[in-house]
Amino acid sequence: MASQPSVKLNFITFSNVIGGKCVDAENSEVPIASQDEIERAVNAAQAAAKLWAALPWAIRRAKLHDFINALDANSAGFAEMLDQEQGKTLNEAQGELYLSIQFLRRTATLELPDEEEVDRTEQRQVVKRYLPLGVAVGIVPWNYPVFLACQRVGQALITGNTFILKPSPSAPYCNLKVQLAELGTHFFPPGVLQALNGEDDLGPSLTSREGVNVVTFAGSIATGKKVMASCSKTLKRVILELGGNDPAIVCADVDVAKTATIVAYLAFTNCGQVCAIPKRVYVHDSIYDEFGAVMVAYATSLRLGTDKSFESIKNLLADVEANKLSIATGSTQNPGDNGQKGLYSQPTIFDNPPDTSRVVVEEAFGPVIPMMRWADEAEVIERANKIDYGLGASVWSNDTTQAGRIARQLHAGSVWINTHAELDGTIPFGGIKSSGMGVEGGLEGLKRYCNVQTIWSKLA
Ligand code: NAD
């Protein structure tokens, strides 16, 4: 077995990473990439792409393994940094590191064949090959910065692409370190893994640039549309992982205390700022009150944390008074009124709001959950499918036939039964409808980073 690389990062200085070197900020705590640095990074990525693609899959995998092991060895430092920069609890930050490392390890188990014979007759042979696209750019949001970066880097690199990461301006620190960037300089040839930090205007500079072949984007639907429009000008490939507003359908036969606690735990994870968690909870009429009481007890037991979407959450809560809606727990008053300074929002559960209300139709991306009654199976499926999001969904039932029947009718990229938001590097994950295009994860995910080529040989 290869010896474990030992790289110890400091979490004090932060650099762009260009052509295998850390390029420090001149005038600020974090670097802001200049046009010249963008140019240098894309050039370095293009030059490295040829060499990297020519290496056998097994060598790329071995380097990725070394990188993952080093990330693992530094995970405590990353978790602390993530806790400080993003505002999630240390526990949740450690969970994100664990998820990132597991996802990368599982991705590294995958392989696309170099060449595969897909047809052979007396007259001809046809083989299929997967060729890397070249330079990949990853643009990620602030809610799961480490995981979303790792998800992309593993797939891009193992398939033979080079990768430039653009972190979110709201959470760049871990990405500059992890991503690869600085840690990556110890394991990958110069130009294979780079990071450029900047404000929102850095995104368009990368999506519009010649020399970038694929953009893999995670973020809001509104920005995703801009990314796609920009990529179309140079016909870049694009993978879009966008917002979600996942329904959770709870059937009459569940263990109410257990299921309500799990659903509430999932719904308020990371202050509700997760792309795929229960965001609309449909509870069967016969258990609605009991289920709601457990959800409320869970929500009131939570301690408050920071909320970066404070303004948009305040806006949604204003809807309560304007439309005379009812809330089961939480507050529509100034969420700072609890005496704590800062951007705090109380965990809030809406009590059976109409399907057309903003809290049901829009992605809250904060600790605000609508809970609705249902009685008829066909009707609740229609209500769940009615809006234009299609990232995830879940069904909660002890009746496997009923759960499977409902699950197969839901319009979402991932449907979970008696769980929600489980991810694995070997399984494709992606949204349908406005929630995205393409997938990350699994062989299908790897193929998004490749061109397919067929070679036809006439034999007779
Ligand atoms: P956002 O769209 O505002 O920003 C995401 C990234 O895009 C940031 O790095 C930002 O700097 C960059 N960006 C901004 N303008 C750009 C432009 N014109 N061109 C290129 N890049 C640009 O999203 P956000 O508020 O940071 O994240 C929250 C959203 O992301 C939520 O809707 C959430 O559901 C979604 N999300 C989806 C997934 C998924 O896998 N489907 C994962 C995480 C988050």
Side-chain angles (χ1 to χ4, degrees):
M1 210 167 108
S3 64
Q4 286 280 324
S6 116
V7 175
K8 188 114 183 68
L9 296 174
N10 79 63
F11 286 86
I12 300 165
T13 55
F14 300 90
S15 319
N16 283 329
V17 176
I18 302 173
K21 294 200 172 57
C22 293
V23 182
D24 291 332
E26 282 181 9
N27 303 318
S28 64
E29 198 186 330
V30 285
I32 305 291
S34 63
Q35 286 302 319
D36 174 58
E37 286 173 325
I38 298 171
E39 193 70 36
R40 277 165 44 208
V42 174
N43 289 343
Q46 280 185 303
K50 293 195 189 83
L51 302 169
W52 184 245
L55 291 176
W57 193 284
I59 304 273
R60 294 199 297 264
R61 172 184 282 151
K63 290 189 188 296
L64 188 61
H65 270 305
D66 287 348
F67 169 77
I68 302 167
N69 290 338
L71 177 60
D72 204 350
N74 282 277
S75 63
F78 276 116
E80 274 173 40
M81 181 86 254
L82 185 58
D83 166 48
Q84 286 171 33
E85 73 164 323
Q86 201 272 346
K88 62 182 63 180
T89 64
L90 186 58
N91 250 346
E92 282 177 330
Q94 287 162 342
E96 182 173 341
L97 261 299
Y98 178 80
L99 179 65
S100 308
I101 291 160
Q102 290 312 308
F103 197 96
L104 277 169
R105 288 201 193 289
R106 296 285 285 162
T107 301
T109 63
L110 297 171
E111 187 159 352
L112 291 173
D114 260 356
E115 287 200 3
E116 188 186 352
E117 191 176 72
V118 286
D119 191 37
R120 189 174 189 109
T121 63
E122 277 181 12
Q123 281 77 35
R124 72 178 191 203
Q125 183 210 33
V126 184
V127 296
K128 185 169 72 176
R129 307 171 71 212
Y130 290 100
L131 306 172
L133 296 172
V135 177
V137 159
I139 300 178
V140 296
W142 50 267
N143 65 327
Y144 275 81
V146 176
F147 171 69
L148 293 164
C150 287
Q151 194 184 25
R152 286 159 177 76
V153 80
Q155 298 175 100
L157 294 200
I158 204 157
T159 45
N161 296 277
T162 55
F163 190 86
I164 302 173
L165 175 77
K166 190 208 92 59
S168 163
S170 305
Y173 295 101
C174 281
N175 279 170
L176 295 174
K177 281 285 171 192
V178 91
Q179 199 52 204
L180 320 233
E182 188 178 329
L183 192 62
T185 58
H186 298 274
F187 305 101
F188 303 113
V192 169
L193 191 49
Q194 305 180 92
L196 293 173
N197 189 51
E199 298 294 339
D200 282 349
D201 59 1
L202 176 57
S205 297
L206 291 164
T207 54
S208 60
R209 190 159 289 257
E210 296 279 357
V212 172
N213 305 100
V214 53
V215 172
T216 164
F217 173 84
S220 62
I221 294 173
T223 312
K225 288 178 181 170
K226 291 185 197 162
V227 167
M228 193 164 174
S230 173
C231 288
S232 72
K233 299 198 178 86
T234 48
L235 285 182
K236 288 180 183 49
R237 302 288 194 286
V238 60
I239 306 165
L240 300 175
E241 299 286 353
L242 308 178
N245 193 355
D246 297 6
I249 298 178
V250 183
C251 299
D253 68 343
V254 297
D255 175 330
V256 173
K258 194 170 141 196
T259 309
T261 307
I262 298 172
V263 170
Y265 163 78
L266 289 165
F268 290 114
T269 297
N270 205 36
C271 300
Q273 293 165 332
V274 185
C275 53
I277 47 169
K279 291 180 182 166
R280 296 176 282 148
V281 182
Y282 296 90
V283 183
H284 193 271
D285 193 46
S286 61
I287 55 165
Y288 182 88
D289 294 328
E290 203 190 332
F291 195 94
V294 179
M295 291 267 291
V296 166
Y298 181 88
T300 46
S301 74
L302 292 173
R303 284 188 296 123
L304 302 186
T306 57
D307 182 354
K308 299 218 170 166
S309 312
F310 186 64
E311 280 308 317
S312 80
I313 294 300
K314 262 189 8 188
N315 234 315
L316 267 182
L317 294 177
D319 218 29
V320 172
E321 268 150 52
N323 291 303
K324 306 213 175 340
L325 306 179
S326 157
I327 56 172
T329 184
S331 170
T332 59
Q333 300 309 304
N334 177 358
D337 280 354
N338 54 25
Q340 284 176 287
K341 292 202 171 70
L343 305 175
Y344 292 97
S345 176
Q346 294 199 18
T348 300
I349 299 174
F350 279 61
D351 179 11
N352 207 26
D355 284 356
T356 49
S357 54
R358 285 186 54 197
V359 73
V360 179
V361 176
E362 295 177 21
E363 178 188 28
F365 218 57
V368 176
I369 312 297
M371 194 176 67
M372 283 80 65
R373 291 178 187 272
W374 70 273
D376 180 76
E377 187 181 300
E379 188 207 51
V380 74
I381 293 168
E382 198 185 316
R383 290 164 69 196
N385 286 338
K386 209 165 192 172
I387 63 173
D388 199 32
Y389 290 87
L391 191 58
S394 58
V395 186
W396 301 78
S397 172
N398 285 320
D399 177 344
T400 49
T401 310
Q402 182 185 27
R405 184 174 64 229
I406 296 175
R408 282 167 180 75
Q409 295 176 74
L410 292 174
H411 300 165
S414 303
V415 184
W416 292 274
I417 295 176
N418 294 326
T419 182
H420 204 122
E422 289 192 17
L423 298 174
D424 185 299
T426 63
I427 296 171
F429 171 79
I432 61 173
K433 300 198 276 190
S434 287
S435 291
M437 195 172 284
V439 294
E440 301 281 357
L443 290 175
E444 291 83 352
L446 296 191
K447 289 175 188 173
R448 302 294 297 194
Y449 290 86
C450 297
N451 280 321
V452 188
Q453 182 187 54
T454 50
I455 299 184
W456 301 63
S457 306
K458 199 87 188 150
L459 302 179

